[in-house]
Amino acid sequence: MKKHIILMLILFPLVVFSQTKIKGTVLDSNNTPIFGVNVYWKNTSIGATTDENGKFEINLIKSTHLLVASYIGYKTKETVIQNQNTLTIVLTAENELDTVTVKSRKQSSHRSSYVLQNVINVNKGELLKAACCNLAESFETNPSIDVNFTDALTGTKQIKMLGLQSPYIQIVQENIPNIRGAAQNFGLTFTPGTWVESIQITKGAGSVINGYESITGQINAELVKPLTDSKLFVNAYGAINGRLELNTHINQKVSDKWNTGLYIHGNLRDNKIDNNNDNFIDAPLMKQVNVMNRWQYTNTEKGWVSFINFRYLTDSKQSGEVEFNPDIHKKTTTYWGSEIDTERFETSAKIGYVFPDMPYKTFGLQMSYSNHKQNSYFGLKDYNIKHQSLYANFIYNSIISNTKNKISTGISTTYDDFDELVLTNSYVRNEKSIGVFFEYNYDNLDNLSLSAGIRIDHHNLLETFITPRLHIKYTPWETGTLRLSGGRGKRSTSIFAENQKLFGTNRTINIVANNGDFYGLKPEIAWNYGVSFNQKFNLFNRKGDITFDYYQTDFDQQIVVDWENPSQISFYNNTTNSNATSFQAEINYSPFTHFTIRTAYKYQNIENNYISGVKQAPLQAKNRFFTNLGFQTHQNEKGGNWKFDYTYNWQSKQRIPDTSIYNTIYQQGEFSNSNSIMNAQITKVFSPKFEWYIGGENLTNRKQQIPILGADNPFGTNFDTSLVYSPILGANYFTGIRFNIE
């Protein structure tokens, strides 16, 4: 019945007319651009949000001439629009006096009331609240994403959305699928934080335009642009845990239409730390060199915009016992050790065209190629993978009659070639797909908008299937926004690439084949449904908002990773449906100028159907509490100020898989203790060109007492590095500088 409703909405008749656009800039009283201002036509839901430069663009409508600009901490301003096509809006701080100068503060993370889907926009200001050295560490201050260590060896952080791991999240880079297949486990660490301009987190079913793989949501990372990035940017970072990083951006204008940027990243940790005295290093030795050359072509007169990227990465990690020397002890039983060496090359291109006389009509072409090679061993176990991937997506956007009715349609294709060596077994497969999609967007210019999409794909292993998606946004009153979403996702699974922590145990690997094409298993299919409500409020003449999210994910077909037998790890298709439930309440409030509070409570119940019965997902906290506090002083005449940020994360107990066959000293209880983590950072901005920051992670020095079971005999049956539920490293302190020339 649900599928029929979605299809009916997609085929709903459409009609309308083209509109003129107004462009503008929003500034504060000191002529500083303000990011994230809501600009909308009064008594309608037609609006836009200003970008990093305070600029916006909005369709002209006939029902009103009053344009409203609203932003937390500033007086709402209405502007009468007559015949002008461009304008500048100046906002005044709510408590600003004639003799007082108030500098603007960009809203670093926000939900726009005018976006149809449940999207959280994270800009550079939010990313700089923590010294996020890569994309995996960019979510520490966001309550919608959970960040945890995958194991006690590699130091890799894994993210979860709606209680499910990152493979169920479609992670794209500038809307091109990027972290998938061989890159699933470590791919988030391959994008340096300084390369990221902004992040868009979409909860629930995504758009059919980006493919069929999204199940719990989508994360899109927008990279810095050669045209708008600093001419020279340098970021240096150092931590007491031995981690050193250096990022350099060099951007150059080549001609009136061409700009190019060279982005160089390097990180290093070459000293061994064993603070818990288990004879295993607490953090891996590592070395990464990451280089990207980016070209941007802009011809606004003729409507062309293009980006071309070339990128090369080499990454190496070494972990294991303190005395392990790979030149001597590699794959021997003298000392346990592991090395993971990755080499990756990728190139991508985006070409967009806007019809000059019809700005509502556009087309775009996205293309990418990647070659990923990982050679690794874990003790005596080999794991190697080669993955070549091709992707192309053509998108056409237009309207039917008028801009109330917009359409997007196109065709996409993928090719993936996998070659894996797992212990002594070889797994080779080719995946090919081609699909067409159609998405209809309706906006009644008042209080209702919807997006109904469908795509049909033919895949050589997944066969031919349909992916429907539906999003509805309703504004019952001016300050309230209700969103509904539903959709289906389907994905092939690289079970070893996604679960590399299994190689850090001495459990046997068991695949219960089911006549499928993926290691003998069938693919994963799931439906995701969700509702979100956002209410803005005014308390003590200060603005804030509260959001309630509820999402349910139901699997029609799932590959279960079963850790319940302490002597083995099993992969099999579930016989009955599994499900994941997620509820989150979040409040954002600014009690006074330049001070913000973001706090959230999250409940997640994930149940898996194992052979042994239905159980709560292991190493998954049901309850989480989050708070982030941010404060910055007024800017001085040189553009300098102080910034203070503090983040608190608490999570409840987590179920631990059975360890009853291990020696008594290594047996774990049924549940872990609850734990909490506190992070803080202080930034001194001396001027727009130079700033210095210092901070700490895990300030209370919280550590899992025994992160590695059987560390005294790593080749014995008790050895297990996968049962991580709490921080592995103790308190870590860091410092760094940022320098840029515009």
Side-chain angles (χ1 to χ4, degrees):
M1 183 65 183
K2 295 172 183 173
K3 299 178 183 178
H4 292 299
I5 293 173
I6 293 172
L7 289 173
M8 288 173 63
L9 286 169
I10 292 171
L11 299 175
F12 188 78
L14 323 168
V15 266
V16 213
F17 68 179
S18 142
Q19 296 170 326
T20 307
K21 290 182 179 290
I22 290 179
K23 297 181 180 180
T25 305
V26 180
L27 308 173
D28 68 2
S29 57
N30 297 286
N31 293 322
T32 302
I34 310 177
F35 172 84
V37 177
N38 290 325
V39 182
Y40 58 94
W41 294 107
K42 189 170 183 179
N43 298 324
T44 77
S45 60
I46 305 300
T49 304
T50 58
D51 62 15
E52 295 275 350
N53 300 310
K55 297 185 180 299
F56 69 91
E57 187 175 287
I58 189 171
N59 289 329
L60 180 65
I61 64 175
K62 296 181 179 180
S63 60
T64 180
H65 296 287
L66 286 178
L67 192 65
V68 181
S70 174
Y71 185 68
I72 293 176
Y74 289 82
K75 297 176 182 177
T76 298
K77 185 171 183 177
E78 296 182 358
T79 304
V80 178
I81 304 300
Q82 296 178 342
N83 298 318
Q84 61 264 53
N85 292 321
T86 61
L87 72 155
T88 299
I89 300 173
V90 179
L91 296 185
T92 304
E94 289 181 339
N95 60 347
E96 184 173 350
L97 302 175
D98 292 339
T99 57
V100 179
T101 300
V102 178
K103 293 285 187 177
S104 68
R105 185 177 194 269
K106 295 179 180 179
Q107 192 176 358
S108 57
S109 178
H110 72 284
R111 287 179 171 92
S112 174
S113 301
Y114 307 104
V115 176
L116 178 60
Q117 299 180 7
N118 187 9
V119 180
I120 303 159
N121 295 286
V122 180
N123 74 355
K124 202 73 174 178
E126 184 74 15
L127 298 175
L128 295 180
K129 283 186 175 183
C132 51
C133 300
N134 56 56
L135 191 56
E137 298 164 323
S138 299
F139 304 99
E140 303 283 359
T141 61
N142 192 296
S144 295
I145 303 294
D146 300 328
V147 184
N148 298 97
F149 284 102
T150 59
D151 55 71
L153 285 176
T154 62
T156 304
K157 290 185 177 180
Q158 178 190 72
I159 64 171
K160 297 180 181 179
M161 181 190 292
L162 307 185
L164 295 175
Q165 298 178 356
S166 56
Y168 298 105
I169 310 167
Q170 186 178 41
I171 302 176
V172 297
Q173 184 174 285
E174 299 189 319
N175 289 311
I176 296 177
N178 182 258
I179 298 175
R180 51 193 299 275
Q184 276 287 2
N185 203 69
F186 303 113
L188 286 170
T189 68
F190 296 159
T191 298
T194 64
W195 293 9
V196 180
E197 180 180 74
S198 63
I199 298 173
Q200 292 79 46
I201 302 169
T202 303
K203 285 187 171 183
S207 169
V208 294
I209 294 173
N210 299 119
Y212 51 81
E213 294 180 322
S214 169
I215 291 179
T216 63
Q218 177 181 284
I219 295 176
N220 177 51
E222 285 290 327
L223 304 184
V224 293
K225 312 295 190 291
L227 179 63
T228 55
D229 193 27
S230 300
K231 187 174 182 180
L232 173 66
F233 173 81
V234 178
N235 173 50
Y237 166 96
I240 62 169
N241 65 13
R243 183 172 176 176
L244 301 172
E245 299 214 0
L246 180 64
N247 294 280
T248 305
H249 303 183
I250 303 171
N251 294 284
Q252 181 66 45
K253 186 178 181 65
V254 178
S255 67
D256 290 341
K257 298 179 177 62
W258 282 98
N259 291 77
T260 187
L262 180 65
Y263 308 92
I264 305 170
H265 166 85
N267 69 59
L268 175 71
R269 182 190 285 120
D270 59 0
N271 62 316
K272 299 180 178 181
I273 301 172
D274 180 22
N275 289 330
N276 58 9
N277 298 315
D278 63 359
N279 202 40
F280 272 74
I281 57 177
D282 298 337
L285 307 182
M286 61 184 188
K287 180 168 61 177
Q288 182 185 119
V289 176
N290 200 341
V291 180
M292 178 175 67
N293 180 215
R294 185 160 163 82
W295 292 80
Q296 180 177 356
Y297 175 82
T298 307
N299 187 337
T300 54
E301 293 180 358
K302 295 186 176 180
W304 289 97
V305 176
S306 300
F307 292 93
I308 303 172
N309 296 342
F310 302 94
R311 184 174 169 190
Y312 174 78
L313 168 140
T314 176
D315 180 85
S316 62
K317 297 180 178 67
Q318 177 192 322
S319 58
E321 294 188 84
V322 175
E323 295 87 354
F324 174 73
N325 182 340
D327 295 331
I328 302 172
H329 307 127
K330 179 180 179 179
K331 297 177 70 174
T332 71
T333 57
T334 307
Y335 295 106
W336 196 98
S338 170
E339 287 186 289
I340 304 170
D341 294 320
T342 303
E343 186 176 32
R344 181 179 175 92
F345 170 77
E346 62 183 66
T347 182
S348 63
K350 292 177 62 177
I351 301 170
Y353 178 72
V354 179
F355 289 79
D357 298 329
M358 295 174 287
Y360 54 81
K361 184 180 291 187
T362 67
F363 70 76
L365 178 63
Q366 304 167 332
M367 299 176 291
S368 69
Y369 166 78
S370 64
N371 189 325
H372 186 109
K373 297 179 182 179
Q374 177 186 323
N375 294 319
S376 53
Y377 63 90
F378 301 80
L380 303 178
K381 300 176 181 178
D382 286 319
Y383 178 67
N384 300 329
I385 183 170
K386 297 177 182 179
H387 177 196
Q388 291 192 76
S389 179
L390 283 166
Y391 170 83
N393 192 22
F394 176 80
I395 309 164
Y396 173 75
N397 301 294
S398 188
I399 64 172
I400 298 177
S401 292
N402 59 42
T403 53
K404 284 185 179 180
N405 303 276
K406 298 178 182 179
I407 61 169
S408 298
T409 188
I411 184 171
S412 59
T413 182
T414 63
Y415 172 80
D416 293 284
D417 180 71
F418 293 92
D419 186 356
E420 287 179 283
L421 174 66
V422 184
L423 307 182
T424 59
N425 300 315
S426 179
Y427 298 91
V428 178
R429 76 177 188 273
N430 291 311
E431 297 186 36
K432 307 169 188 176
S433 76
I434 185 168
V436 294
F437 57 86
F438 178 85
E439 187 173 79
Y440 165 59
N441 291 275
Y442 169 77
D443 191 335
N444 71 355
L445 305 182
D446 185 14
N447 59 358
L448 176 67
S449 57
L450 68 84
S451 171
I454 190 169
R455 63 178 296 133
I456 302 174
D457 290 271
H458 176 73
H459 190 287
N460 64 318
L461 301 181
L462 300 176
E463 301 178 339
T464 301
F465 58 96
I466 295 175
T467 304
R469 305 272 172 85
L470 175 67
H471 299 270
I472 299 174
K473 180 174 75 72
Y474 178 66
T475 307
W477 47 82
E478 185 177 354
T479 57
T481 305
L482 176 68
R483 292 180 172 90
L484 304 171
S485 69
R488 183 179 190 259
K490 190 171 185 177
R491 61 182 295 268
S492 59
T493 306
S494 299
I495 60 174
F496 298 113
E498 295 173 9
N499 296 279
Q500 293 189 42
K501 68 177 184 178
L502 66 87
F503 299 115
T505 78
N506 285 332
R507 303 179 185 217
T508 59
I509 299 172
N510 178 34
I511 299 177
V512 183
N514 192 25
N515 298 318
D517 294 309
F518 304 94
Y519 315 92
L521 302 170
K522 294 182 179 179
E524 297 189 298
I525 304 172
W527 288 84
N528 181 279
Y529 311 96
V531 57
S532 175
F533 181 74
N534 176 266
Q535 176 65 56
K536 297 178 181 178
F537 62 84
N538 195 309
L539 180 64
F540 303 119
N541 292 320
R542 303 293 300 177
K543 294 182 178 180
D545 67 82
I546 182 169
T547 303
F548 299 97
D549 292 336
Y550 177 85
Y551 287 89
Q552 176 82 20
T553 305
D554 294 326
F555 284 91
D556 290 343
Q557 234 171 239
Q558 185 183 26
I559 294 178
V560 176
V561 186
D562 189 341
W563 300 73
E564 301 307 310
N565 185 334
S567 65
Q568 68 179 22
I569 299 168
S570 297
F571 297 92
Y572 51 83
N573 290 114
N574 58 353
T575 54
T576 56
N577 295 345
S578 297
N579 60 78
T581 301
S582 176
F583 168 79
Q584 179 175 313
E586 177 182 341
I587 299 175
N588 291 275
Y589 182 58
S590 175
F592 52 87
T593 304
H594 298 314
F595 181 70
T596 60
I597 300 173
R598 181 184 305 126
T599 186
Y601 165 75
K602 183 158 52 180
Y603 170 82
Q604 296 175 139
N605 184 34
I606 293 84
E607 291 186 342
N608 291 336
N609 290 296
Y610 299 107
I611 292 175
S612 56
V614 178
K615 297 180 181 179
Q616 180 185 340
L619 307 178
Q620 172 71 48
K622 274 193 174 184
N623 300 281
R624 289 177 180 262
F625 179 76
F626 168 95
T627 295
N628 176 259
L629 307 177
F631 173 73
Q632 62 176 271
T633 62
H634 297 300
Q635 290 185 352
N636 58 32
E637 63 278 1
K638 294 182 179 180
N641 67 342
W642 288 88
K643 299 178 182 179
F644 304 87
D645 290 288
Y646 168 84
T647 303
Y648 173 80
N649 270 293
W650 175 87
Q651 57 183 5
S652 64
K653 64 182 182 179
Q654 303 172 50
R655 189 180 70 82
I656 301 174
D658 183 21
T659 57
S660 60
I661 69 168
Y662 295 158
N663 288 344
T664 304
I665 58 174
Y666 299 122
Q667 291 179 11
Q668 305 289 294
E670 184 180 359
F671 289 93
S672 72
N673 295 324
S674 62
N675 65 79
S676 59
I677 300 175
M678 291 188 288
N679 302 332
Q681 179 176 291
I682 300 173
T683 303
K684 170 58 178 173
V685 180
F686 293 93
S687 72
K689 292 184 178 180
F690 180 73
E691 58 187 69
W692 165 75
Y693 58 91
I694 185 171
E697 300 168 322
N698 191 16
L699 296 177
T700 57
N701 200 33
R702 172 82 185 194
K703 290 186 290 186
Q704 186 169 326
Q705 290 186 345
I706 306 177
I708 299 178
L709 305 184
D712 56 339
N713 183 16
F715 297 97
T717 57
N718 297 314
F719 184 67
D720 196 335
T721 68
S722 66
L723 304 181
V724 174
Y725 51 82
S726 189
I728 304 167
L729 297 171
N732 178 46
Y733 300 95
F734 58 84
T735 187
I737 60 169
R738 302 183 185 102
F739 172 77
N740 69 82
I741 298 176
E742 297 294 337

